[in-house]
Amino acid sequence: MAMLEVNDIHSYYGNIHALKGISLTVDKGEIVTLIGANGAGKTTTLKTISGVMHPRQGSIILDGAHIEHAPAHEIVMKGVGQSPEGRKIFAGLTVLENLEMGAYSRNDAQGIKRDLDFVLGLFPRLAERRSQRGGTLSGGEQQMLAMGRALMGHPRVLMLDEPSMGLAPVLVEAIFDTIQKLNQEGTTILLVEQNAAKALQVASRGYVIQTGQIVLQDSADKLRRNETVRKSYLGEE
C-alpha cells in the first residue's frame, strides 16, 4: 500500500521547468531512494513534496489524502518530516531546543517525551551534548541532530536529503546503520543520496532522476547491477 504517491509533478523556479513529470511511490514501511547527479532535481522533488514549493501540475497523495496544495506547516502536521540538505539546524539553540523545535506542531506532551527519549537513545552523542549549542557540534553530530529534529515531528514519511554529505567514512556507516534501524522500527523513508552505492544497499527500490525526469526505476538489487547505474553513479567501469 502506497504511503506516498507523487503523480506527474511539474515544478518551476520562475520560468525554469525544474521537474518534468516526476512520478514515484513509497509504500508503507519501505526505504525508497532517489539518486541522480547534482542539479538533477532530487532536492526540488523533496521541496515539492514538503510544500516548500507547489507544483503547477500533478498530484501528491499522502496515505490517501491530497497534499499538493497544502502549506508546508500543514504537511508536517499531516506526517511528512524532512532532514534537509546541509542540515540547517538552529546554530544558536541547544541540542535539546533544536529537538523541541521539531515537535512545534504537536501538543501531546507524553508523546513528545516518548519521542525525545527515543531520539536520544538512537543518538547517544546528542544525549551527551543536549545542553550544547548546535553550531558547536561536529558535522556528523549536526546530521544526527537534523535527523532527530525531523523525527520529533513523529512523521509517517521521513525524507532524508543527502544525509552522508561531507561526513567521514566511519560516520557515513553510522548514519546508514541508523537509517536501517529507523526503518526496522517501522519508519517509511524516502532517501535522496549522492552516495548511490550506500543508498542502494539500504533501499528496497530506487528511482534515477536526470534533468527533472525519472529515467529508470527498479528494485535496488537490479539497479546495482544495471550497467548504466554502475558506470554513472557507482563509479564502476
Side-chain angles (χ1 to χ4, degrees), residues 1-206:
M1 173 182 161
M3 175 65 73
L4 178 68
E5 298 177 60
V6 177
N7 301 308
D8 194 28
I9 284 296
H10 293 258
S11 293
Y12 291 74
Y13 292 102
N15 291 323
I16 299 173
H17 195 175
L19 300 183
K20 305 165 186 174
I22 294 289
S23 295
L24 59 85
T25 62
V26 184
D27 290 342
K28 186 175 182 179
E30 267 195 315
I31 300 178
V32 171
T33 188
L34 180 63
I35 61 176
N38 286 334
K42 303 186 301 295
T43 294
T44 302
T45 300
L46 297 194
K47 284 182 176 179
T48 304
I49 294 169
S50 66
V52 175
M53 298 174 65
H54 292 293
R56 294 191 191 176
Q57 180 182 325
S59 64
I60 303 170
I61 302 171
L62 177 68
D63 201 17
H66 283 265
I67 61 170
E68 62 268 14
H69 299 304
H73 70 279
E74 287 187 9
I75 291 175
V76 171
M77 294 171 71
K78 289 176 186 293
V80 177
Q82 182 171 352
S83 174
E85 181 182 7
R87 293 131 202 176
K88 295 183 174 60
I89 62 163
F90 298 103
L93 299 184
T94 66
V95 166
L96 182 58
E97 289 167 339
N98 267 276
L99 294 175
E100 289 172 341
M101 285 297 292
Y104 81 95
S105 64
R106 301 173 60 183
N107 56 15
D108 56 323
Q110 288 187 334
I112 292 171
K113 173 65 166 59
R114 183 175 60 249
D115 287 340
L116 179 61
D117 290 343
F118 172 74
V119 168
L120 294 178
L122 188 66
F123 299 113
R125 290 194 198 185
L126 298 184
E128 295 168 5
R129 292 158 173 74
R130 58 192 299 160
S131 299
Q132 190 171 323
R133 293 193 185 276
T136 66
L137 300 177
S138 69
E141 290 163 351
Q142 289 189 16
Q143 183 59 58
M144 295 173 193
L145 183 55
M147 291 172 65
R149 182 181 60 187
L151 288 168
M152 287 300 296
H154 202 73
R156 288 188 283 174
V157 177
L158 176 64
M159 301 195 301
L160 302 175
D161 195 352
E162 303 288 6
S164 76
M165 180 183 288
L167 300 185
V170 64
L171 290 175
V172 171
E173 291 294 333
I175 289 296
F176 276 93
D177 285 347
T178 301
I179 291 170
Q180 288 183 292
K181 186 182 297 185
L182 282 171
N183 182 245
Q184 289 163 3
E185 294 277 348
T187 304
T188 302
I189 297 173
L190 176 56
L191 171 64
V192 161
E193 179 55 58
Q194 193 81 19
N195 188 336
K198 294 298 296 182
L200 291 172
Q201 283 178 15
V202 301
S204 56
R205 294 187 298 113

Side-chain angles (χ1 to χ4, degrees), residues 221-236:
D221 184 58
K222 287 182 179 177
L223 287 176
R224 280 197 302 269
R225 292 186 275 115
N226 181 281
E227 185 176 356
T228 300
V229 172
R230 287 171 57 196
K231 288 182 177 179
S232 299
Y233 303 106
L234 302 183
E236 300 177 14

